[in-house]
Amino acid sequence: MPKHSPSHLDPRSPLVLDTRELPRRPGALRTVKRVAPAPADLGVELISVPEGADLDLDLRLESVSEGVLVSGTVSGPVRGECGRCLREINTSMAVTIQELYAYENSTTDATTEEDEVGRMQGDLIDLEPALRDAVVLTLPTNPRCREDCPGLCPECGVHWDELPADHSHQQIDPRWAGLSQLTRKEE
């Protein structure tokens, strides 16, 4: 028995790929284009793909000697908030996926660690782990609403773009307040 025991995959799940129509001879190719709902928690703390949002999958499944190579792009909406000013971010992303899924009982069972290569369950491939890795690694941990976002004033919390150029929270130590009067008289 192999050293891994994957849970049962549902072939009707949108992120499960069925390879029955893909011949198991190296070089055989099949393309998959579909829209799938995004799984929960697909992102990082400040930015993520909303759960259930439409993900466009444009994939290529290619038979290789040890399994199936899945490559292509996944695109969809991204929502979050700016790490500097907390404004809402609504954008889209497109990530590239390339993952080898080994056939059951192939030589990769003996030559690789369990988590080193994706594993097929019969003719089924679970795309979610590779999708999750690709999306989460692409998203910024400190997203910005725009590249030159100035952020918020640390004193009053107002966005710097909304404040006048001479905005200041200068506080004079009462012990030195008398000296500031001297500079005003000279002006």
Side-chain angles (χ1 to χ4, degrees), residues 49-160:
V49 176
E51 182 177 356
D54 287 345
L55 294 176
D56 293 315
L57 307 176
D58 186 4
L59 304 172
R60 180 178 141 157
L61 283 64
E62 184 177 357
S63 285
V64 294
S65 60
E66 292 298 315
V68 176
L69 179 65
V70 177
S71 56
T73 59
V74 175
S75 56
V78 177
R79 307 281 181 265
E81 60 185 26
C82 179
R84 288 188 179 169
C85 70
L86 304 178
R87 285 189 176 155
E88 189 175 319
I89 296 174
N90 289 314
T91 189
S92 61
M93 58 91 195
V95 296
T96 302
I97 289 181
Q98 186 167 23
E99 184 81 20
L100 173 65
Y101 291 89
Y103 295 130
E104 288 181 321
N105 302 318
S106 68
T107 57
T108 58
D109 284 342
T111 59
T112 62
E113 296 294 320
E114 184 176 352
D115 60 349
E116 220 176 320
V117 174
R119 308 288 175 175
M120 293 178 64
Q121 184 176 341
D123 291 320
L124 302 177
I125 293 173
D126 185 8
L127 191 62
E128 186 176 340
L131 171 79
R132 187 171 298 283
D133 288 348
V135 170
V136 170
L137 291 174
T138 301
L139 294 175
T141 55
N142 190 17
R144 288 185 257 165
C145 59
R146 64 178 205 259
E147 200 60 39
D148 63 340
C149 177
L152 304 174
C153 173
E155 297 294 324
C156 62
V158 175
H159 197 281
W160 278 111

Side-chain angles (χ1 to χ4, degrees), residues 22-35:
L22 181 67
R24 286 193 176 199
R25 64 175 188 272
L29 182 69
R30 183 176 151 229
T31 59
V32 174
K33 291 183 188 235
R34 72 169 69 155
V35 176

